[in-house]
Amino acid sequence: MVTMSDVAKLSGVSKMTVSNVINGRAGVSDQVRRRVLEAIRQSGYRVNVSARTLRSGRTGVIGLAVPEIDRPYFGQLAAHVIDQARAHGFHVAIEQTGAAAAGEMDAIAHSHTLHFDGLILSAVELDRADPRLADAGYPIVMLGEQDFGAKFDHVAMPNEEGTKAATAHLIDRGCRRIALVTGSALDGVNVVTRRYQGYLAALAEHGLSPDPALLFAIDGMTMDAGRDAGRRLADSGGGIDGVVAVTDTVAQGVLRGLADRGVRVPDDVRLIGFDDIPEAEFMVPSLSTVAPDHRWMAAKAVELLINRIHAPLRQAGEHIAPFTLVIRESTR
């Protein structure tokens, strides 16, 4: 049977270093951590989870709860979280919440019941005032648009600044009648309202007035909804020369809807999305988009969660991901 000492010899480090990697402790460089993990893979070493749990009170498993795993963005996020967690010696269990408050609370409860060491939760409907959150007593890092104050560490998308930059890019390209294709929930705090504020900020900064006729509401963040919006946009006769789509998935649908009406991108209308999903590069035309640093978000979320596991009383904070504008054919 392969032992921890065997792994230490194979990777050229001490047995304590191997233990630190397996248990996700800080103080091990990424290079050494990768070497130890590769030695574990090559040797076939298996951690005795039951014994480790009894010794440390930890399982080496963290949870990731997302609204829908079949959406490109969340699939990409999950892959990055798994990579980052593996580098720290943790496994990831994934749960789908359905973007509902009940599903999000269930994810917290299940993670606790299954003795996960912590949870990364992409919260959509969860209410910060829910009294059950105060009693969570459990390491949690929040993703998404909700602001949970000092209760939890929070890793957020650059929603306002990213959409502001996307809208400003269209203005710089000469667009003046810029439509926004977005969700219908323009109240509260969510991805729709935050990106809408970024759109408005760019218009104001460039001396353009918002026009209700340029707001195209959709019921869901899907390609079908985007296609319908694209058709309505083409039929509106409003002289629209630019479109900001709330997500790349919606932008894919908008592109199809415009094409259905014979409207060419970027010749007749310029189009930009948000998320930089892998498909954006391969669309025809390829899609300009706001590209949040997804790997940074995953690394930060995992880092914060591990820090919280080791130091439960540390102060929480909000961290907003950096982004770049990726300019492709749809706005050229």
Side-chain angles (χ1 to χ4, degrees):
M1 185 176 66
V2 180
T3 67
M4 192 179 294
S5 296
D6 296 327
V7 174
K9 290 178 183 177
L10 184 61
S11 55
V13 300
S14 68
K15 184 177 175 181
M16 178 58 71
T17 299
V18 175
S19 176
N20 288 340
V21 171
I22 290 172
N23 290 287
R25 299 190 188 104
V28 181
S29 71
D30 290 342
Q31 182 180 7
V32 170
R33 192 181 302 278
R34 284 193 294 268
R35 194 161 76 237
V36 170
L37 292 174
E38 178 60 20
I40 290 173
R41 188 190 67 78
Q42 289 181 4
S43 66
Y45 175 73
R46 293 291 180 267
V47 178
N48 187 330
V49 176
S50 297
R52 183 175 69 175
T53 301
L54 287 173
R55 287 195 307 269
S56 67
R58 301 193 184 109
T59 61
V61 178
I62 61 175
L64 172 65
V66 297
E68 295 167 307
I69 196 63
D70 61 345
R71 294 290 175 87
Y73 166 71
F74 290 114
Q76 186 179 33
L77 173 69
H80 287 317
V81 168
I82 290 169
D83 284 345
Q84 295 298 326
R86 183 184 293 121
H88 290 276
F90 283 84
H91 295 280
V92 179
I94 300 174
E95 184 161 351
Q96 187 168 261
T97 66
E104 291 162 2
M105 283 305 307
D106 283 347
I108 295 174
H110 291 163
S111 297
H112 212 316
T113 302
L114 294 171
H115 302 291
F116 294 166
D117 294 332
L119 174 68
I120 298 172
L121 172 62
S122 181
V124 177
E125 293 292 334
L126 201 59
D127 186 350
R128 63 181 292 179
D130 192 315
R132 292 174 295 179
L133 285 178
D135 299 329
Y138 182 68
I140 298 174
V141 171
M142 296 292 188
L143 303 177
E145 286 64 50
Q146 296 286 356
D147 180 7
F148 289 89
K151 287 184 178 180
F152 302 101
D153 290 302
H154 180 207
V155 179
M157 293 277 269
N159 291 297
E160 290 95 334
E161 287 303 312
T163 309
K164 180 181 176 181
T167 308
H169 168 65
L170 293 181
I171 296 172
D172 290 342
R173 286 286 191 266
C175 301
R176 291 298 179 268
R177 296 280 294 168
I178 301 172
L180 177 68
V181 179
T182 189
S184 56
L186 290 175
D187 55 356
V189 178
N190 53 59
V191 66
V192 171
T193 56
R194 289 191 181 274
R195 294 183 186 178
Y196 180 51
Q197 291 304 314
Y199 166 80
L200 293 177
L203 295 182
E205 194 169 286
H206 289 82
L208 299 176
S209 300
D211 183 348
L214 297 176
L215 191 62
F216 289 80
I218 55 178
D219 293 331
M221 306 297 182
T222 65
M223 281 187 279
D224 282 341
R227 183 177 190 171
D228 175 70
R231 290 170 173 173
R232 286 188 283 124
L233 192 153
D235 294 339
S236 68
I240 294 168
D241 53 11
V243 181
V244 177
V246 67
T247 69
D248 286 352
T249 299
V250 170
Q252 284 182 281
V254 170
L255 182 64
R256 180 68 258 175
L258 291 172
D260 290 344
R261 294 295 193 262
V263 177
R264 298 167 301 167
V265 175
D267 304 71
D268 304 317
V269 176
R270 289 186 168 93
L271 171 66
I272 192 166
F274 196 118
D275 286 333
D276 195 28
I277 61 175
E279 293 83 352
E281 183 179 0
F282 298 96
M283 293 166 58
V284 180
S286 57
L287 182 67
S288 295
T289 185
V290 178
D293 192 333
H294 300 294
R295 190 174 295 278
W296 181 95
M297 292 182 68
K300 178 58 69 174
V302 171
E303 173 195 332
L304 290 169
L305 188 62
I306 292 173
N307 289 343
R308 178 70 58 185
I309 290 169
H310 292 299
L313 300 180
R314 61 182 293 274
Q315 186 174 358
E318 182 179 62
H319 307 266
I320 299 177
F323 73 93
T324 56
L325 274 184
V326 179
I327 308 307
R328 299 191 178 105
E329 296 166 347
S330 68
T331 62
R332 287 177 180 162

